[in-house]
């Protein structure tokens, strides 16, 4: 059964977590579980933790507004945006590939890209058809997509979700929240365009703009195993759980329930 990271709560806790911002406390104080390292060559790794060059020397496209993410900070994407990557590959083919990202979308109308290099050798990972499909598209002896059916409500619940896709030379696979949700048999190698620009979270910076938050975006030169994909998801869940626990502990220091909401609010402001 797929585990999902979400929190439902009433004013007894949720409201006080929101009001903690007025106390000067920030989520930066939270201890979190670090993103796992995987022994596989990276084509790119975008953490969105700073405005400089990211891990493994992958170039970040531009500075973007940031919010608290799954591991450190995350990009906050609104309206049109253009996150162009550095060149991805030094050869015209790749035998394998893997995509991995944490995403918290706020709407999924039409097509919302996670990654796209638009050219005859297209590389694509995107939400399609109003969020009813999560698709991996590669040129393997001709362009083909592995379309996995999803329920858009599952990823529009205000929580973080882990999306991943792989190709191992034989099978294309799509994952959501650590679980395989779609496969497509297709033997061969991936045709790659070494010159066409590639974009994170849009199609050429002109359409398909993802709206919401994006964190720990990884593009690997080899396929990840199902266990490795699950490990990325589980480590993210653990990081979010640690932060939630610290928020609850912080809220307990301010939240003193009284006979009425008004009295509770006054007590909170006086703490």
């Amino acid at each position: 059964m797929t585990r999902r990271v979400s929190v439902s709560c009433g004013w007894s806790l949720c409201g006080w977590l929101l009001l903690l911002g007025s106390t000067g406390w920030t989520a930066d104080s939270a201890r979190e579980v670090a993103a796992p390292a995987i022994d596989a060559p990276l084509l790119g790794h975008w953490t969105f933790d700073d405005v400089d060059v990211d891990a493994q020397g992958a170039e970040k496209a531009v500075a973007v507004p940031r919010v608290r993410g799954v591991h450190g900070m995350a990009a906050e994407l609104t309206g049109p945006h253009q996150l162009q990557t550095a060149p991805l590959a030094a050869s015209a083919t790749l035998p394998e590939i893997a995509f991995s990202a944490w995403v918290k979308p706020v709407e999924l109308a039409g097509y919302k890209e996670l990654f796209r290099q638009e050219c005859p050798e297209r590389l694509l990972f995107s939400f399609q058809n109003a969020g009813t499909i999560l698709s991996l598209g590669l040129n393997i002896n001709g362009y083909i997509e592995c379309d996995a059916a999803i329920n858009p409500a599952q990823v529009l619940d205000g929580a973080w979700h882990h999306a991943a896709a792989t190709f191992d030379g034989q099978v294309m696979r799509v994952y959501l929240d650590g679980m395989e949700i779609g496969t497509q048999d297709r033997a061969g190698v991936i045709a790659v365009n070494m010159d066409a620009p590639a974009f994170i979270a849009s199609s050429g910076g002109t359409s398909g703009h993802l709206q919401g938050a994006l964190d720990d975006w990884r593009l690997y030169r080899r396929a990840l195993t199902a266990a490795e994909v699950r490990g990325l998801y589980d480590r993210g869940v653990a990081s979010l759980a640690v932060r939630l626990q610290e928020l609850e502990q912080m809220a307990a220091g301010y939240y003193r329930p009284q006979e009425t909401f008004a009295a509770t609010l006054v007590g909170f402001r006086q703490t």
Side-chain angles (χ1 to χ4, degrees):
M1 179 174 64
T2 302
R3 289 184 292 161
R4 296 166 55 194
V5 183
S6 59
V7 180
S8 299
C9 48
W11 249 105
S12 60
L13 175 59
C14 189
W16 306 114
L17 297 181
L18 294 174
L19 286 173
L20 279 175
S22 65
T23 69
W25 183 86
T26 68
D28 288 331
S29 64
R31 297 186 307 274
E32 59 186 37
V33 179
I38 292 178
D39 185 17
L42 280 159
L43 292 167
H45 184 194
W46 296 269
T47 67
F48 302 105
D49 285 339
D50 53 52
V51 296
D52 298 319
V53 175
D54 274 337
Q56 286 75 41
E59 182 179 326
K60 190 179 299 183
V62 295
V64 296
R66 294 179 300 154
V67 294
R68 195 70 185 181
V70 178
H71 302 290
M73 303 303 291
E76 184 177 38
L77 304 174
T78 59
H81 46 78
Q82 189 174 80
L83 307 180
Q84 184 174 340
T85 75
L88 295 176
S91 64
T93 60
L94 285 172
E96 301 183 6
I97 202 167
F99 300 78
S100 169
W102 281 94
V103 60
K104 184 164 65 171
V106 297
E107 61 95 356
L108 290 172
Y111 284 59
K112 292 293 182 285
E113 310 292 346
L114 291 169
F115 185 91
R116 187 159 182 156
Q117 183 183 31
E118 186 53 46
C119 58
E121 301 80 18
R122 179 189 296 158
L123 296 175
L124 173 148
F125 189 32
S126 69
F127 293 105
Q128 300 182 1
N129 296 358
T132 60
I133 291 172
L134 182 58
S135 181
L136 168 66
L138 302 171
N139 190 317
I140 309 165
N141 300 318
Y143 183 73
I144 187 171
E145 293 188 357
C146 176
D147 293 338
I150 62 174
N151 180 356
Q154 180 181 352
V155 290
L156 289 172
D157 59 357
W160 282 100
H161 294 274
H162 184 249
T166 69
F167 172 68
D168 61 7
Q170 297 292 327
V171 182
M172 303 165 69
R173 305 178 192 274
V174 175
Y175 298 82
L176 183 63
D177 290 338
M179 302 294 292
E180 183 182 290
I181 59 171
T183 65
Q184 174 70 54
D185 292 338
R186 186 75 158 197
V189 298
I190 306 163
V192 179
N193 190 308
M194 296 178 286
D195 300 316
F199 294 83
I200 297 170
S202 74
S203 177
T206 61
S207 62
H209 298 99
L210 182 70
Q211 304 293 292
L214 189 65
D215 195 16
D216 196 34
W217 218 134
R218 302 168 180 228
L219 187 57
Y220 287 96
R221 192 182 295 272
R222 76 155 170 86
L224 299 182
T225 66
E228 288 171 329
V229 171
R230 184 71 190 196
L232 288 168
Y233 171 68
D234 286 342
R235 190 70 67 92
V237 168
S239 181
L240 291 167
V242 168
R243 189 173 320 132
L244 177 59
Q245 183 181 41
E246 292 199 350
L247 281 168
E248 291 174 339
Q249 291 172 351
M250 182 64 68
Y254 292 89
Y255 173 50
R256 299 288 188 272
Q258 307 295 327
E259 292 183 1
T260 66
F261 169 75
T264 301
L265 182 60
V266 170
F268 175 83
R269 291 298 186 184
Q270 292 176 345
T271 302

